[in-house]
């Protein structure tokens, strides 16, 4: 009997960070499925404390992406240490001024400030959402240090406009959009040997 391919494993192995997006907005039905994947992610103690702020406003995303870029100080890439040659990150290319790479949908994940596993809860929710996005042919990119996007008066005003509680903070952003037409899907890096220890 021929082995059936495991679709989930194929999605896991296919997913890559996408930083070049088409301008068209993400389909609403697909977006709802991606958000549901985030809502069903594991959370410490079953708290379900993560808030998902979905912004599809181009001007807001552009301004917050520029604020984030201005307040991010990544270790810049070198000839031997870099994020991506195919789709450069802000660490690879200092001319990139928008840390959100002009993604049409930006989801900021917020979590309680003083909760021990806030970052972990956001990370597992983001991974669920990235896998769901890939399965729907939508590109995604995880952007850490979410709070830097709100590090000026405009960012603070956005938090108030969105109704974000003051006891929550922005852990990260998840960028969503259709991969730019004509761009090759990023090539997987070879898996490093010796990372699994059978003890």
């Amino acid at each position: 009997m021929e082995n059936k391919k495991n679709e989930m494993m194929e999605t896991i192995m296919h997913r890559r960070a996408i930083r070049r997006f088409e301008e068209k907005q993400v389909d609403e039905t697909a977006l709802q499925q991606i958000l549901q994947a985030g809502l069903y992610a594991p959370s410490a103690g079953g708290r379900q404390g993560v808030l998902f702020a979905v912004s599809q406003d181009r001007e807001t995303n552009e301004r917050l992406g520029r604020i984030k870029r201005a307040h991010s100080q990544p270790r810049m890439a070198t000839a031997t240490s870099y994020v991506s040659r195919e789709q450069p990150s802000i660490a690879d290319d200092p001319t990139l001024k928008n840390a959100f790479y002009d993604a049409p949908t930006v989801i900021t994940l917020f979590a309680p400030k003083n909760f021990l596993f806030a970052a972990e809860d956001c990370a597992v929710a983001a991974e669920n959402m990235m896998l769901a996005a890939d399965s729907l042919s939508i590109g995604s990119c995880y952007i850490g240090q979410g709070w830097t996007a709100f590090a000026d008066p405009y960012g603070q005003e956005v938090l108030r406009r969105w109704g974000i509680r003051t006891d929550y903070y922005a852990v990260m952003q998840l960028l969503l959009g259709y991969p730019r037409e004509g761009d090759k899907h990023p090539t997987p890096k070879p898996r490093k040997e010796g990372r699994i220890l059978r003890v």
Side-chain angles (χ1 to χ4, degrees):
M1 182 175 168
E2 193 174 320
N3 286 339
K4 284 181 69 176
K5 291 182 180 177
N6 183 313
E7 290 183 14
M8 176 55 74
M9 285 303 298
E10 288 204 344
T11 299
I12 289 170
M13 295 173 75
H14 179 265
R15 188 215 58 79
R16 295 286 173 271
I18 301 297
R19 298 182 187 86
R20 294 176 180 164
F21 301 97
E22 294 284 337
E23 287 188 14
K24 76 174 181 176
Q25 192 50 265
V26 173
D27 173 77
E28 182 62 25
T29 300
L31 177 60
Q32 290 303 318
Q33 290 180 64
I34 293 166
L35 290 167
Q36 187 173 38
L39 292 173
Y40 275 83
S43 62
R47 287 173 58 122
Q48 301 182 46
V50 178
L51 302 178
F52 304 84
V54 183
S55 177
Q56 295 185 313
D57 181 78
R58 187 171 187 163
E59 181 183 350
T60 300
N61 291 344
E62 170 76 15
R63 288 187 69 175
L64 291 177
R66 285 180 171 271
I67 294 166
K68 184 172 179 65
R69 179 66 180 97
H71 288 86
S72 296
Q73 298 186 358
R75 293 190 182 122
M76 295 307 291
T78 66
T80 57
S81 178
Y82 52 88
V83 177
S84 174
R85 293 282 192 229
E86 296 160 301
Q87 294 195 8
S89 76
I90 60 172
D92 299 313
D93 184 354
T95 68
L96 291 172
K97 300 303 181 191
N98 181 351
F100 296 159
Y101 306 104
D102 299 313
T105 295
V106 177
I107 303 174
T108 302
L109 278 68
F110 292 88
K113 287 180 178 176
N114 295 314
F115 180 49
L116 184 61
F117 300 110
E120 289 83 351
D121 281 358
C122 288
V124 293
E127 178 69 5
N128 265 23
M129 295 164 78
M130 289 187 288
L131 292 174
D134 190 84
S135 74
L136 296 164
S137 300
I138 294 169
S140 66
C141 188
Y142 180 111
I143 307 289
Q145 298 186 342
W147 56 89
T148 56
F150 305 96
D152 81 351
Y154 176 78
Q156 293 300 301
E157 173 55 34
V158 168
L159 293 179
R160 288 189 289 273
R161 183 166 18 114
W162 289 355
I164 302 302
R165 294 167 43 172
T166 57
D167 58 337
Y168 271 62
Y169 77 108
V171 176
M172 49 82 59
Q173 279 87 23
L174 180 64
L175 313 182
L176 296 175
Y178 296 100
R180 196 165 69 185
E181 189 174 352
D183 275 3
K184 184 180 174 186
H185 187 72
T187 306
K189 294 176 182 176
R191 300 298 98 175
K192 293 181 179 178
E193 298 287 336
R195 293 170 60 208
I196 296 175
L197 308 177
R198 301 296 293 264
V199 296

